[in-house]
Amino acid sequence: MKVPVSWLRELTSLPSSVSTEELAARLTAFDLKLEEIIGGRITGPLVVGRVLTAEPEPQKNGKTINWCRVDVGPEHNEPATEDVPAGRGIVCGAHNFGPGDLVVVSLPGTFLPAMGFEIGSRKTYGHVSDGMICSTAELGLPGDASGILVLEPGSAEPGADAVELLGLNQETLDLEVNPDRGYAWSMRGVARDTALAFGLPFEDPADIAVPEAEAEAYPVVVEDAAACPVFTTLRVSGFDPTRPTPAVIARRLVQAGMRSISLAVDVSNYVMLELGQPNHAYDAAKLKGPIRVRRAAAGERLTTLDDIDRALDPQDLLICDDDGPVGLAGVMGAARVEIDDATTDIVIEAAHFDRATIARASRRHRLSSEAARRFERGVDPTLQVRAARRVAELLVEHGGGQVEPGLTVVGEVDTRREVVLPVDLPRRIAGVESIDTDAAVRALEGNACEVRVDGESLVVVPPPWRFDINDPYDVVEEVLRVVGYDQVPSVLPQASGGRGLTRAQELRRRVGYALAGDGLVEVKTFPFAGPADFDRLGLGSDDERRRQVLLENPLSAEEPGLTTTLLTGLLRSASLNVGRGHDDVAISEVGRVFRPRSGAPAAPIYGVDRRPTPEELAVLDAALPDQPLTASWVLLGDRERGGWDGPGRPVAWADAVAVARRLADVLHVEVSVEAASLAPFHPGRCAALVLDGRVVGHAGELHPKVAEAYGLPPRAVAGEVDLDALLAAAPEIGPRPDFSAFPVAKEDLAFIVESTVPAGALQQALAEASPLIESVRLFDLYTGEPVPQGHVSLAFNVRLRADDHTLTEDEIAGARAAAVQLAADRFGATLR
Amino acid sequence: MSAPNSDYDPVEVTPLRADEVERMRDEALAAIAAADSIEALKQAKIEHVGDRSPLALANREIGALPPQARKEAGQRVGQARGAVNQALTRRTDEVEAEEFERKLAAEAVDVTLPIDREPVGARHPLTTIQDHVSDIFVAMGWEIAEGPEVEAEWLNFDALNLGPDHPARTMMDTFWVTPESAAMVLRTHTSPVQARTMLTRTPPIYIACPGRVFRTDEPDATHAPVFHQVEGLAIDEGLSMAHLKGTLDHLARAIYGADITTRFRPSYFPFTEPSAEVDLLCYVCHNDSAQVADCPTCRGEGWVEWGGCGVVNPRVLIACGVDPERYSGFAFGMGLDRTITSRYDIADLRDLWDGDIRFTEPFGIGL
Ligand SMILES: [Zn+2]
């Protein structure tokens, strides 16, 4: 809400000693937060000038500037010379003006807040520019900022003070009004809060005497009284539409961010700003038959004042005459019945509409207006007759004619309600000891509430415009606002003793440290993706991961939904890093991916008057998509960099698997690896990560086409694992140490097997061949002579040990033989 | 060995004269002292300790002395040989130690060579700040609660007193899941976690909820469609705005330093009543009159906007099954992304999301 300060001062008896800054600070503490103080800070010689000459001069840079001589009045002009008349020379880049035009000139020494600096004489384009010809934007005025402000011919003389002329000394408070304070969308409401904030008496500008009605003003039929509880009409006749808007009204409208259009429209808007009641002025000659308030019919259309032809919804509330709709109620009117420069007979409408009806219509049509904004937030429902009267009186005062004696009022609203609360509730909830009953009563009366103390209870009747005071705690807020939020003391509560981080929270941190410890740099990416991403990953057309949770309103059509794999974002990051010249990149992300649940129902909307049952909550959770926490990683370039002590070690598929193994290790879970073939991985270099028989992730080398699609070097690797699954499998306590103090026996076994035999499986089998085998480790892998074609030599260190004695030669030989036998039986392995 | 020679005057046997023994000893000692390698010591040993050394030869002469002279000569030679042997042992130790030192010295390397083969990992500051803030709450006896990011409309809005026509609801710039009738959103705040906690636990409740939230903001230097919040909720008997202030003051001190306080400004949130905006005393200029005017962090205000807070609206308590007659509570929330950008002077919010490793690396594994 933009509040002209002089208007606010006129409506209150605020002492002139209170500065605008103090006023703003006090209102901010009163829940009317200052966004900014607009205007009023121009200093120095800002004057009217008449352009004498303007010579276009093309410049090397392609621009054409105007070299102007401007008459800025005898007081400021440089004397005439042989070549030029008295005036100042000014360079100007704009072209929307010419000789003879009246413009605004900021002479050297002028400070324009919108520019942020003081204007000086300066050499530019080969001239000394002795000031600046101003645009509306440079002057901080609203409206078209594209060119120089050209004044009406004859509206001023050169040298006149433009600050005074344009009202630039007027300050405006731009206040942020919270949605619960609809009343503050009016000067009336802001003035009342100002008076309360400074402890001043307040005279309500809405205390307007309305004469007894003698007849109907203009007939009205309200078909939907719930949506339109009050509808008032009043008439003015003999109005002179040619009369100008008084300067003060026009200026205040502009300060409030509106345009001055014509006297009738300006008065209508002015009263809306003053009292907060949106109203409408119709040309009585254009209305056919009674005004009818009804819901839209199917297929009905309306062209609103913004020239948009709108298909109406049956929920839309319309103002109609016999020829159809003349306005979307409470939002915007239609051109057909508007006031024009021939209108002499005016029908004034002031109505009250249901807040939700207007809010929905405004949202449905994506049409916000000054009126809709106020109706949505709540307008005083008892104000309509007085507001219509105020409009009529102002029209007559400034436009002539007379207010017709008739008055039409359809409907009435009874907003009276009592809020009952314990007298000590404000003190208890605010935590401010000084709030006693008297303080509470005073604060509430200042808010125009009726207050009564009834034993231990406070009975509060809020005024009709306070839609926000319904509950005891609402009353507490109003009291605290007056007492002051700065009065709240600081008391640290004693929490009841928490159990610290949950196991899952601790383990998640462990995962983060493990990834960083493995040399991976954590990144964060937006979880949005689309088919183009999945194409780049090479996902098949029937790949599950193409099924996304889609969004109604995605930011970009290319990313219509949530991602199903962190690799969409991570590979983009990898690509960015490569593009920025990083040769070796190791990055990871931990975040959620989203998978729609097939056949999930819609999430129910429960009431809010009670807690939903556990069953109801379960239904709600069942509707949500799966959103498992996932860890993902991408490595490329060298895993270890080359240096003075040796060459680098390039990233290989095994590095991707190693990251998964590290995660499994730090969580004490057993993850095994199986060969797999899945996009976006190389079909022969992809490991499935298996936990308890279930595939929980994949790791390996990226498919060469995928690496290419992302602009990554060949052999880049990646991995992704369902972290929730790993966390769920992590034991409460890690394994206990279990080792024997008896001597170890070491045996090396080298086998020749067919190349198709998985080395991991053979190693696993050897480890289980005898209870005496403590560990098995592959230490050599060899192909080539003398190993036959299609075969491979695998050499293992086998360590044997018993728990309770030193192994005998026979025991060692037995275990060795068992291992060899098993390798032969299960894998066709022959001892080398 | 020759037989005793009674014709000899014992004092006249030259090698056994005191000055002669002294000379032989001194020569031996000098040779040992001069030896600077194991080789040289071996040579000195042969020459001055071995069987053919002057002192060994002199020793043999003792038997030729008359018995009354033997003792004195024996003592004299024995002492000299003892001194030489001792010197030899000591010198051998010394030379061995010197040789060892020389060997180690020869093995010296240039320790200033760059050691940078191992990649260095790092955690994202938005992760570590969430951990840091969580730790502050845990130390206060609070617990950390979490919830889904795709959330039911009812929990994100209705249960928090944001009815379907509430104007604040449209201000939230919500991402809606398709179809709209599915009544699911990307959570616009972590408040549904508070609702979930109240729905499933009985007071007293003291929880903090850090997490990722979503609004339909196009990414630019100061906006992102995804950002991080931490919210807090306390429900207990007798809680007031004063306890809220105490908690926020504590949090401000823990994050920003011992001298940082907070202030309240009235505001509006549907889920709290009374509601307030909370500002932090500017942690750069401390609202110091000499610095505040030029302070880039607070732009001359002396205070920095921090978050929103208030007393939990009893309507929220009712929807979540908490008895508002018995319990009251407070809630608050603040953005964490801005904590990072303002503390580390990061001008462009997109740096947090690009994934350029140079952004995360300096943060290491903790702030
Ligand atoms: Zn500052």
Side-chain angles (χ1 to χ4, degrees):
Chain A
M1 169 79 179
K2 291 193 171 66
V3 177
V5 174
S6 62
W7 196 359
L8 185 59
R9 287 181 184 274
E10 188 181 293
L11 291 172
T12 58
S13 45
L14 195 67
S16 54
S17 60
V18 175
S19 72
T20 303
E21 285 74 16
E22 284 170 76
L23 168 63
R26 200 75 191 85
L27 290 176
T28 296
F30 238 65
D31 201 10
L32 298 174
K33 187 194 169 194
L34 179 73
E35 290 279 299
E36 60 168 330
I37 299 174
I38 302 167
R41 290 183 294 139
I42 294 178
T43 55
L46 186 77
V47 299
V48 174
R50 175 175 284 115
V51 180
L52 301 172
T53 59
E55 318 249 341
E57 294 183 356
Q59 300 297 316
K60 285 194 205 103
N61 62 7
K63 280 192 198 165
T64 300
I65 57 113
N66 279 307
W67 171 233
C68 307
R69 191 75 185 170
V70 185
D71 174 8
V72 289
E75 195 192 329
H76 302 291
N77 279 343
E78 297 291 331
T81 67
E82 276 180 26
D83 303 327
V84 291
R88 297 259 190 146
I90 299 175
V91 170
C92 184
H95 299 276
N96 67 321
F97 66 100
D101 280 347
L102 284 180
V103 294
V104 176
V105 177
S106 55
L107 294 169
T110 307
F111 176 78
L112 294 178
M115 303 287 289
F117 58 85
E118 194 178 288
I119 307 299
S121 273
R122 63 193 182 107
K123 251 192 124 129
T124 177
Y125 294 115
H127 299 287
V128 173
S129 186
D130 214 4
M132 184 178 83
I133 302 176
C134 300
S135 70
T136 47
E138 286 155 351
L139 293 169
L141 290 171
D144 180 19
S146 59
I148 292 303
L149 174 64
V150 179
L151 303 174
E152 288 293 311
S155 60
E157 284 302 310
D161 180 4
V163 172
E164 192 60 43
L165 182 78
L166 297 172
L168 296 174
N169 52 350
Q170 292 291 328
E171 291 171 312
T172 306
L173 301 181
D174 189 358
L175 301 179
E176 181 185 326
V177 177
N178 282 314
D180 60 332
R181 298 198 182 272
Y183 71 89
W185 282 99
S186 69
M187 292 304 298
R188 179 197 188 203
V190 175
R192 185 190 307 277
D193 274 2
T194 304
L196 180 57
F198 286 91
L200 303 169
F202 178 64
E203 275 179 52
D204 190 346
D207 282 347
I208 296 163
V210 177
E212 277 300 305
E214 291 170 21
E216 192 94 53
Y218 195 91
V220 174
V221 179
V222 174
E223 291 183 6
D224 191 335
C228 176
V230 184
F231 201 107
T232 301
T233 57
L234 191 61
R235 277 178 90 140
V236 167
S237 58
F239 178 75
D240 178 358
T242 64
R243 295 271 202 95
T245 300
V248 64
I249 290 181
R251 197 191 67 219
R252 285 174 176 176
L253 288 174
V254 169
Q255 280 183 271
M258 304 182 74
R259 280 187 309 142
S260 172
I261 294 163
S262 68
L263 176 59
V265 174
D266 289 353
V267 162
S268 168
N269 285 333
Y270 186 75
V271 172
M272 175 179 70
L273 293 175
E274 182 184 50
L275 303 181
Q277 170 68 52
N279 59 84
H280 207 88
Y282 298 97
D283 185 336
K286 295 178 186 169
L287 280 174
K288 305 256 168 42
I291 289 176
R292 195 172 290 275
V293 184
R294 62 165 173 84
R295 300 280 179 173
E300 215 168 357
R301 302 188 76 87
L302 171 67
T303 302
T304 40
L305 270 173
D306 53 5
D307 271 338
I308 295 176
D309 177 36
R310 296 171 188 276
L312 298 173
D313 184 280
Q315 290 297 307
D316 288 337
L317 189 69
L318 301 178
I319 313 295
C320 308
D321 71 354
D322 285 356
D323 285 351
V326 299
L328 189 56
V331 182
M332 194 173 274
R336 175 161 70 82
V337 291
E338 288 302 302
I339 306 280
D340 59 33
D341 51 15
T343 302
T344 59
D345 198 359
I346 296 172
V347 174
I348 301 159
E349 165 208 312
H352 185 65
F353 298 109
D354 169 54
R355 294 167 65 185
T357 303
I358 304 305
R360 284 179 206 150
S362 173
R363 213 183 313 154
R364 198 155 38 228
H365 293 286
R366 298 183 201 284
L367 177 57
S368 182
S369 66
E370 294 282 342
R373 182 184 299 161
R374 286 171 173 80
F375 280 125
E376 270 179 53
R377 287 163 173 77
V379 173
D380 181 350
T382 65
L383 193 60
Q384 288 69 38
V385 171
R386 286 173 289 159
R389 185 79 205 173
R390 175 75 171 145
V391 173
E393 285 174 357
L394 281 177
L395 285 175
V396 170
E397 183 184 340
H398 301 292
Q402 56 278 320
V403 182
E404 294 292 312
L407 172 69
T408 299
V409 180
V410 176
E412 193 182 0
V413 172
D414 182 12
T415 62
R416 195 180 161 85
R417 62 192 181 279
E418 288 185 347
V419 182
V420 182
L421 58 143
V423 281
D424 66 344
L425 191 75
R427 179 179 58 73
R428 278 196 282 121
I429 293 304
V432 179
E433 286 304 318
S434 66
I435 300 179
D436 55 15
T437 309
D438 278 356
V441 169
R442 263 197 320 275
L444 292 167
E445 284 176 347
N447 274 298
C449 295
E450 285 173 40
V451 192
R452 190 173 87 236
V453 179
D454 184 0
E456 287 301 297
S457 293
L458 211 53
V459 181
V460 181
V461 179
W465 57 85
R466 291 304 296 264
F467 296 87
D468 58 323
I469 305 179
N470 300 296
D471 297 339
Y473 280 44
D474 300 336
V475 174
V476 174
E477 176 169 86
E478 288 312 306
V479 172
L480 184 57
R481 184 168 77 119
V482 176
V483 170
Y485 275 55
D486 54 353
Q487 297 302 303
V488 176
S490 183
V491 180
L492 189 61
Q494 197 56 53
S496 49
R499 290 161 294 182
L501 293 180
T502 64
R503 177 81 175 149
Q505 286 162 351
E506 272 176 19
L507 293 178
R508 216 177 310 146
R509 286 192 185 186
R510 197 184 289 179
V511 164
Y513 284 118
L515 289 169
D518 244 1
L520 294 157
V521 175
E522 185 186 13
V523 302
K524 294 209 180 277
T525 65
F526 297 142
F528 307 114
D533 291 296
F534 302 133
D535 290 346
R536 279 211 281 178
L537 289 179
L539 304 193
S541 56
D542 56 348
D543 193 302
E544 269 291 292
R545 289 168 292 173
R546 282 188 182 267
R547 278 191 60 225
Q548 289 178 270
V549 174
L550 295 172
L551 298 173
E552 281 292 288
N553 50 343
L555 285 184
S556 117
E558 282 79 55
E559 298 171 359
L562 295 170
T563 196
T564 54
T565 161
L566 293 181
L567 288 174
T568 49
L570 213 50
L571 285 171
R572 272 190 252 174
S573 280
S575 180
L576 174 133
N577 277 293
V578 169
R580 290 186 180 175
H582 301 296
D583 300 325
D584 312 318
V585 177
I587 50 178
S588 69
E589 181 169 14
V590 173
R592 294 189 186 281
V593 298
F594 303 86
R595 297 190 206 109
R597 224 172 262 181
S598 302
I605 305 277
Y606 298 122
V608 292
D609 50 345
R610 63 166 177 88
R611 174 211 297 252
T613 63
E615 293 72 33
E616 286 172 324
L617 288 176
V619 171
L620 206 144
D621 278 335
L624 299 179
D626 282 331
Q627 29 199 320
L629 197 66
T630 303
S632 189
W633 52 95
V634 171
L635 299 91
L636 57 88
D638 277 352
R639 182 67 169 125
E640 277 170 39
R641 292 202 285 171
W644 50 269
D645 53 346
R649 184 173 75 68
V651 159
W653 64 270
D655 293 308
V657 179
V659 173
R661 288 220 177 275
R662 170 62 59 92
L663 295 186
D665 284 349
V666 299
L667 296 174
H668 306 301
V669 296
E670 292 279 337
V671 168
S672 60
V673 166
E674 288 172 6
S677 178
L678 182 83
F681 298 101
H682 187 304
R685 299 184 170 190
C686 171
L689 308 169
V690 181
L691 172 74
D692 294 335
R694 185 165 86 84
V695 174
V696 293
H698 290 84
E701 185 175 313
L702 285 170
H703 195 288
K705 289 228 162 65
V706 174
E708 190 189 337
Y710 282 93
L712 307 182
R715 306 292 177 212
V717 305
E720 182 160 50
V721 65
D722 180 341
L723 201 53
D724 273 347
L726 295 191
L727 294 175
E732 268 303 306
I733 300 175
R736 65 176 276 269
D738 183 13
F739 58 88
S740 156
F742 287 89
V744 68
K746 298 176 187 172
E747 292 284 315
D748 286 351
L749 295 174
F751 295 103
I752 292 176
V753 292
E754 286 181 22
S755 320
T756 51
V757 170
L762 175 54
Q763 175 169 315
Q764 180 73 28
L766 291 174
E768 291 161 7
S770 157
L772 297 179
I773 294 178
E774 184 180 71
S775 67
V776 179
R777 185 166 181 280
L778 180 72
F779 72 90
D780 188 42
L781 184 153
Y782 175 75
T783 53
E785 284 301 320
V787 177
Q789 272 282 295
H791 288 67
V792 60
S793 160
L794 301 169
F796 298 92
N797 293 134
V798 180
R799 293 164 68 89
L800 304 110
R801 202 187 318 245
D803 283 342
D804 49 0
H805 65 281
T806 302
L807 292 179
T808 64
E809 288 301 324
D810 283 353
E811 283 177 310
I812 296 166
R816 189 178 194 282
V820 171
Q821 188 62 47
L822 191 125
D825 291 350
R826 217 185 282 173
F827 299 97
T830 54
L831 204 58
R832 203 177 159 189
Chain B
M1 191 165 293
S2 49
N5 188 342
S6 50
D7 301 341
Y8 275 54
D9 178 352
V11 269
E12 290 308 313
V13 175
T14 312
L16 293 176
R17 264 179 18 221
D19 60 340
E20 193 58 18
V21 170
E22 211 166 282
R23 187 190 56 78
M24 287 187 285
R25 184 199 67 192
D26 289 350
E27 274 178 9
L29 289 178
I32 288 167
D36 58 357
S37 67
I38 297 294
E39 271 313 303
L41 268 178
K42 247 185 212 160
Q43 194 55 43
K45 188 178 174 184
I46 292 165
E47 286 173 13
H48 297 284
V49 183
D51 288 348
R52 318 268 326 139
S53 67
L55 277 171
L57 294 176
N59 199 44
R60 276 190 222 157
E61 298 296 336
I62 293 171
L65 291 182
Q68 66 274 26
R70 277 185 204 160
K71 190 182 172 198
E72 193 194 340
Q75 255 175 9
R76 196 181 301 137
V77 175
Q79 274 171 3
R81 293 184 80 190
V84 170
N85 274 325
Q86 221 172 35
L88 181 68
T89 306
R90 196 172 340 115
R91 184 60 189 152
T92 304
D93 287 349
E94 276 172 20
V95 169
E96 272 174 2
E98 278 166 20
E99 293 232 320
F100 191 59
E101 287 306 316
R102 264 198 298 279
K103 185 168 167 245
L104 292 184
E107 286 176 358
V109 295
D110 178 1
V111 295
T112 67
L113 283 169
I115 299 152
D116 55 1
R117 289 166 67 91
E118 294 288 325
V120 176
R123 303 176 75 209
H124 197 281
L126 283 170
T127 302
T128 39
I129 186 104
Q130 289 181 76
D131 286 355
H132 177 51
V133 171
S134 298
D135 288 343
I136 295 168
F137 282 107
V138 167
M140 280 198 288
W142 294 42
E143 292 181 11
I144 308 303
E146 292 154 315
E149 293 176 346
V150 174
E151 185 57 284
E153 176 184 355
W154 187 80
L155 277 162
N156 194 74
F157 291 126
D158 302 68
L160 302 168
N161 196 32
L162 277 145
D165 293 307
H166 204 289
R169 193 154 162 165
T170 46
M171 286 157 54
M172 291 266 194
D173 305 321
T174 310
F175 280 113
W176 290 86
V177 168
T178 298
E180 210 166 327
S181 61
M184 290 186 283
V185 300
L186 301 195
R187 64 179 182 188
T188 56
H189 40 201
T190 54
S191 312
V193 181
Q194 303 184 17
R196 285 175 172 277
T197 306
M198 286 189 277
L199 284 163
T200 51
R201 289 173 59 166
T202 47
I205 292 171
Y206 290 87
I207 53 153
C209 327
R212 187 162 77 152
V213 300
F214 306 82
R215 304 270 171 100
T216 55
D217 282 331
E218 290 283 352
D220 63 24
T222 54
H223 297 85
V226 186
F227 54 100
H228 295 75
Q229 281 190 330
V230 63
E231 291 191 328
L233 171 76
I235 305 285
D236 208 339
E237 290 177 6
L239 289 182
S240 73
M241 286 286 277
H243 296 114
L244 169 60
K245 180 90 163 56
T247 303
L248 291 171
D249 279 340
H250 178 84
L251 187 62
R253 285 192 298 267
I255 298 179
Y256 291 96
D259 53 347
I260 300 302
T261 54
T262 65
R263 75 170 182 192
F264 282 158
R265 275 184 292 113
S267 189
Y268 169 76
F269 306 105
F271 27 93
T272 50
E273 186 82 23
S275 302
E277 301 269 354
V278 55
D279 295 340
L280 278 176
L281 182 69
C282 177
Y283 42 82
V284 174
C285 69
H286 297 83
N287 202 13
D288 180 297
S289 55
Q291 299 172 42
V292 62
D294 300 320
C295 178
T297 299
C298 64
R299 293 200 191 84
E301 295 287 325
W303 296 84
V304 181
E305 289 185 15
W306 197 25
C309 61
V311 172
V312 179
N313 194 315
R315 286 170 188 254
V316 174
L317 296 182
I318 290 166
C320 295
V322 174
D323 177 7
E325 298 296 321
R326 178 168 171 200
Y327 294 106
S328 59
F330 59 81
F332 54 88
M334 50 271 307
L336 293 173
D337 306 59
R338 235 191 23 193
T339 305
I340 296 293
T341 52
S342 68
R343 291 227 78 183
Y344 294 90
D345 209 11
I346 295 159
D348 196 325
L349 199 57
R350 284 169 293 199
D351 288 346
L352 271 68
W353 296 101
D354 275 352
D356 191 319
I357 53 178
R358 288 167 303 176
F359 173 78
T360 306
E361 273 171 349
F363 291 100
I365 58 166
L367 297 179

